[in-house]
Amino acid sequence: MSTQNTHPPKPEAPRLPLGIPSCQRRHTLPASEFRCLTPEDAVSAFEIEREAFISVLGVCPLYLDEIRHFLTLCPELSLGWFEEGCLVAFIIGSLWDKERLTQESLTMHKPGGHIAHLHVLAVHCAFRQQGRGPILLWRYLHHLGSQPAVRRAVLMCEDVLVPFYERFGFHAVGPCAVTVGSLTFTELHCSLQGHAFLRRNSGC
């Protein structure tokens, strides 16, 4: 809330919502930034993911060692959204080389593959219900589209999330062969050719 004063107001330091760890901020650090993740971002990513998934599914799509694994092998297939230097949302992917996902695809990166497997999209609890997930996914798909070797994006999700991903050009191809405990999923594919024309339908 702002108030008027007869004296020039003193600039206030930017404040993040409660629950976001304090980050050291240089005067040159942008307030909002999108960039690929590095292994140094693994702990922050896992903390966001654990809070987002454990309470709902009881499991995480990726655990800390797996996050580090993918961010070491293929950081260019990740994208993070940072506010004041702090990670608030992210996507992590890897390359896959088969037509459909298999149990092996959960932990493997296939450098010769032409399919980007999206392992996880997560948003910090303090930044949810603000439209950040759709914006991040849209940017990520365009990021993938700039990589000539990547021709398609694939993911697996619960049935309730299928309509969300369909807004971005994904289409369901049937039940996924991958299971996690008792959980089952639908597999979705998205061609990256001509993806820019989908924006009018994405809600972004």
Side-chain angles (χ1 to χ4, degrees):
M1 182 174 66
S2 61
T3 57
Q4 291 189 348
N5 196 307
T6 56
H7 300 287
K10 295 181 180 180
E12 294 185 2
R15 296 176 183 175
L16 291 171
L18 294 176
I20 298 289
S22 176
C23 297
Q24 193 68 26
R25 183 172 189 267
R26 301 185 302 273
H27 68 283
T28 56
L29 193 64
S32 186
E33 176 188 23
F34 294 87
R35 66 165 172 81
C36 294
L37 301 178
T38 70
E40 287 71 29
D41 299 311
V43 171
S44 295
F46 180 60
E47 288 175 352
I48 294 172
E49 184 194 18
R50 180 173 56 184
E51 187 280 329
F53 287 93
I54 288 291
S55 61
V56 178
L57 299 179
V59 295
C60 284
L62 297 175
Y63 286 90
L64 183 56
D65 287 346
E66 295 164 335
I67 292 174
R68 288 196 177 110
H69 172 73
F70 287 124
L71 295 185
T72 299
L73 292 179
C74 48
E76 72 280 1
L77 295 173
S78 68
L79 188 65
W81 190 341
F82 293 80
E83 293 286 356
E84 310 296 346
C86 294
L87 182 66
V88 300
F90 69 92
I91 296 174
I92 293 175
S94 65
L95 287 179
W96 185 237
D97 61 355
K98 294 181 174 63
E99 182 65 22
R100 298 289 296 268
L101 296 175
T102 69
Q103 208 73 29
E104 184 186 30
S105 65
L106 296 181
T107 55
M108 296 294 294
H109 169 61
K110 300 286 189 176
H114 299 289
I115 299 169
H117 173 201
L118 282 63
H119 293 276
V120 57
L121 185 165
V123 180
H124 190 285
C125 59
F127 290 87
R128 290 179 201 147
Q129 305 301 319
Q130 299 176 18
R132 290 178 184 263
I135 292 171
L136 180 63
L137 179 57
W138 183 256
R139 282 180 172 258
Y140 182 76
L141 292 173
H142 278 266
H143 172 66
L144 291 180
S146 70
Q147 302 182 40
V150 182
R151 300 171 187 166
R152 185 199 306 164
V154 304
L155 58 83
M156 62 185 203
C157 69
E158 293 180 287
D159 290 348
V160 69
L161 293 175
V162 169
F164 170 80
Y165 288 107
E166 287 178 334
R167 292 162 49 193
F168 298 87
F170 284 90
H171 66 277
V173 296
C176 187
V178 178
T179 59
V180 179
S182 61
L183 299 174
T184 60
F185 306 93
T186 296
E187 183 170 331
L188 295 96
H189 293 187
C190 175
S191 172
L192 296 175
Q193 296 180 347
H195 194 269
F197 298 103
L198 296 173
R199 181 163 191 171
R200 65 180 179 273
N201 297 320
S202 71
C204 295

